[in-house]
Amino acid sequence: MRERREPAAARAAARRRELAIRGALGASPTRLMVQALTESVLLSLLGGGLGILGALWGTHMIATMLPPGLAERLPGWQSIQVDGGALLFCVGLSAITGVLFGLAPAFQMSRQNPLEAMREGAGATAGRKSIRSALVTAEVALALMLVVGASLMLRSLYQLQGTSPGFAAERVFYFDVTLPETKYPTDAERVRFFHALQERLSSMPGAQAVSAASLPPISRRSQSSNIYLEGQPKPLPGQLPEASQRVISPGYFRTMGIPLHEGRDFSALDVEDAPRVAMINSALARRFWPGESPLGKRFFTGGTEPWEVIGVVGDVRTLWRGQVRSSVPEFYLSLAQAPRDAMVMMVTVGGTGAAASSLALSLREGMASLDPEQPPPSPRPLEELIAESFGSRHLLAALLGFFACVALLLAAGGVYGIMAYSVTQRRTEIGVRMALGAREGSIFWLILSQALRLAGLGVIIGSVLALVLARGLSKLLFEVSPADPLVFLGTACVLLFVALVAGYVPAWRAARVPPSMAMREE
């Protein structure tokens, strides 16, 4: 019964003498190999089968993790499945692993003198013990690295959900409009069309606010421009400050619920022939005019005429160079003074389901009344776009979390296995210690401290590896430091606690070894 409760390493140590006795009684090396091979291959195939079941379940889980809108845009994502070739490879790998690790012990026994094997103690297996300890340390290090990565991603997502994005995405729908150059060759014609479309959609039933923007608030695309201030020397080309740029129509801030902190919004008077005006966010104001009002200040974006600041609005969360930022320096230009042939129409609807469900029909009618040749609009909720923008982060956090849990289980199993093996190998030593007066508590701590030393070394190595992984994840983190001490310290405590729990049972068994039985076995 004791052998059934112990892991493979401890059972192998306990059976070493059994195999030696079989060999001494005349069992051929081939027979010993077949016996060891049968057990090992069966266990490997069983583990491989469970792994395949886990892969099938995990693939289905991964396929349903992404938001529907993003999943539809990824070719083949919704039909993702485990490849048959990959399954065959895994089954073959399981069989090969069983063959290799089954033959190795029997092969060693076939080359060893049976009398020496029956007398073998802990000192004869010090080399193999070191290898096993190194493997357990590697398991702990890998587990810590994955747990740190998952914790950083989860904390980043918590920060994303717990902080305001700076705009209101509820009941806001958007759709793209691109004007063909052949039909709208001039900037004036494009500006007139978008203004007319905005007025037409504003008159729809249920529409509370309508505006146009070159980009929605959060988008995987970005537009930026180099800027420098009027009255200051122009920096060298490689030293020009850069800021995000967005072209909007009047009413955009009202549509998106972005607060106006100072100055005024764009109006119908800000036309092409009027003085060039711009609005900036608070981050750009702090960057270039700290401690003073930016109203009336002027800056250049590369042309010969400057833009005058007429208003300051709140910061909004954005994707900047693939990284989520709570704010970046950003300025806004009026559509009438910076025409575009492609814009995103933003519509805020009132009410709940009824108004939203009739929105598509109303938008198609409004577009057709202006230009029947334009493709019918396909409005989508802005909240869906935001979910798509952060979908990859949710998926990565889930995958890291899953593999971190698996790594924790492997680390716990590794610590338990090496401790049980150590107790089996040191049974005589423990018996002698207890016969000489050692207390159960000291024996218990002797074994448990060995588990904590292995885990502690793994934690140190894993912390270094986790720093490297965290730097690679830095662009995916939001207001979380890659070297967050809370995450690293908490993860280290978790790993040490896992090692403590895994080493408790072997240490408890070691403390209850009867001295007479241990010495009689020797």
Side-chain angles (χ1 to χ4, degrees):
M1 292 300 292
R2 175 179 57 83
E3 290 184 357
R4 291 192 184 94
R5 293 195 303 267
E6 293 178 348
R11 286 201 310 271
R15 295 188 60 191
R16 190 177 301 278
R17 293 180 182 179
E18 174 193 341
L19 295 176
I21 293 173
R22 287 176 180 270
L25 294 177
S28 65
T30 302
R31 185 178 182 86
L32 295 178
M33 288 185 181
V34 170
Q35 180 182 353
L37 184 64
T38 302
E39 293 182 5
S40 181
V41 170
L42 285 176
L43 289 175
S44 297
L45 291 178
L46 178 61
L50 293 176
I52 290 174
L53 292 177
L56 294 173
W57 172 79
T59 303
H60 174 73
M61 180 184 68
I62 292 173
T64 58
M65 277 183 178
L66 288 183
L70 181 57
E72 293 173 0
R73 285 168 168 72
L74 294 177
W77 183 267
Q78 293 179 316
S79 59
I80 186 174
Q81 58 185 356
V82 177
D83 182 70
L87 286 180
L88 292 176
F89 173 78
C90 292
V91 172
L93 186 62
S94 299
I96 292 174
T97 302
V99 170
L100 292 178
F101 286 90
L103 287 177
F107 182 72
Q108 290 175 357
M109 286 301 306
S110 67
R111 301 184 61 183
Q112 191 172 10
N113 187 299
L115 183 59
E116 293 180 358
M118 287 186 287
R119 291 178 177 176
E120 186 180 70
T125 59
R128 291 190 293 272
K129 179 180 177 182
S130 299
I131 295 175
R132 293 186 181 98
S133 299
L135 290 176
V136 171
T137 300
E139 287 179 340
V140 174
L142 178 62
L144 185 136
M145 182 176 65
L146 291 174
V147 173
V148 164
S151 300
L152 289 174
M153 290 299 301
L154 290 174
R155 191 167 184 202
S156 177
L157 292 176
Y158 177 79
Q159 291 288 106
L160 279 173
Q161 296 174 354
T163 58
S164 171
F167 62 91
E170 298 82 5
R171 297 181 291 107
V172 177
F173 292 80
Y174 75 98
F175 62 93
D176 298 322
V177 178
T178 301
L179 302 180
E181 187 177 358
T182 54
K183 190 170 183 179
Y184 301 91
T186 65
D187 290 340
E189 290 176 311
R190 298 166 189 161
V191 171
R192 280 197 298 270
F193 176 86
F194 284 116
H195 283 175
L197 179 61
Q198 181 174 349
E199 292 180 358
R200 186 66 55 88
L201 299 182
S202 298
S203 62
M204 293 189 316
Q208 291 186 337
V210 179
S211 61
S214 56
L215 288 176
I218 290 184
S219 174
R220 288 186 291 271
R221 298 177 296 163
S222 63
Q223 297 173 352
S224 61
S225 177
N226 296 119
I227 68 173
Y228 62 97
L229 306 185
E230 183 184 44
Q232 296 184 4
K234 183 178 180 180
L236 297 176
Q239 301 176 355
L240 284 170
E242 190 176 10
S244 176
Q245 172 186 326
R246 188 172 270 104
V247 176
I248 61 175
S249 68
Y252 170 79
F253 300 113
R254 175 173 173 267
T255 303
M256 299 310 306
I258 300 175
L260 178 65
H261 293 330
E262 191 176 1
R264 68 174 179 87
D265 196 351
F266 292 124
S267 69
L269 301 178
D270 298 317
V271 295
E272 181 181 4
D273 298 333
R276 289 155 54 102
V277 294
M279 300 184 68
I280 64 174
N281 68 346
S282 299
L284 193 144
R286 292 190 300 268
R287 169 70 173 80
F288 291 103
W289 298 283
E292 59 178 313
S293 174
L295 298 183
K297 308 293 185 180
R298 303 205 293 182
F299 62 91
F300 293 89
T301 60
T304 57
E305 296 185 35
W307 298 90
E308 180 180 340
V309 178
I310 62 170
V312 181
V313 297
D315 298 327
V316 298
R317 185 186 302 162
T318 186
L319 282 171
W320 180 253
R321 309 289 172 79
Q323 185 175 5
V324 185
R325 302 279 294 275
S326 57
S327 65
V328 295
E330 185 172 23
F331 64 92
Y332 302 86
L333 304 180
S334 173
L335 174 62
Q337 296 183 339
R340 296 287 189 275
D341 59 358
M343 297 289 284
V344 180
M345 302 302 299
M346 320 290 293
V347 182
T348 301
V349 299
T352 53
S357 60
S358 62
L359 177 64
L361 179 61
S362 300
L363 291 177
R364 292 189 180 95
E365 292 176 352
M367 180 68 77
S369 64
L370 284 178
D371 187 352
E373 298 180 3
Q374 276 289 319
S378 300
R380 298 180 60 215
L382 185 59
E383 291 176 310
E384 189 175 298
L385 173 65
I386 297 173
E388 291 176 10
S389 300
F390 301 133
S392 61
R393 288 166 171 79
H394 285 273
L395 178 61
L396 180 59
L399 290 178
L400 282 175
F402 173 76
F403 288 120
C405 291
V406 173
L408 276 177
L409 292 176
L410 291 176
V415 172
Y416 173 76
I418 195 65
M419 290 300 99
Y421 174 78
S422 177
V423 169
T424 301
Q425 292 295 96
R426 301 176 65 180
R427 182 177 294 272
T428 301
E429 174 196 342
I430 293 172
V432 172
R433 286 176 178 269
M434 297 189 71
L436 294 177
R439 297 180 178 273
E440 291 185 1
S442 62
I443 299 297
F444 179 85
W445 176 247
L446 175 69
I447 302 301
L448 195 60
S449 62
Q450 182 182 354
L452 293 178
R453 282 196 300 270
L454 290 176
L457 181 59
V459 165
I460 294 173
I461 298 174
S463 298
V464 177
L465 297 176
L467 283 173
V468 178
L469 173 66
R471 291 185 181 276
L473 295 175
S474 59
K475 287 190 175 181
L476 300 176
L477 302 179
F478 175 73
E479 295 186 352
V480 175
S481 170
D484 191 332
L486 182 62
V487 170
F488 276 78
L489 183 60
T491 304
C493 291
V494 169
L495 263 297
L496 292 176
F497 177 75
V498 169
L500 188 68
V501 173
Y504 178 84
V505 174
W508 178 78
R509 288 178 181 172
R512 295 174 63 86
V513 171
S516 58
M517 180 183 295
M519 300 180 70
R520 185 166 58 248
E521 288 179 358
E522 189 65 20

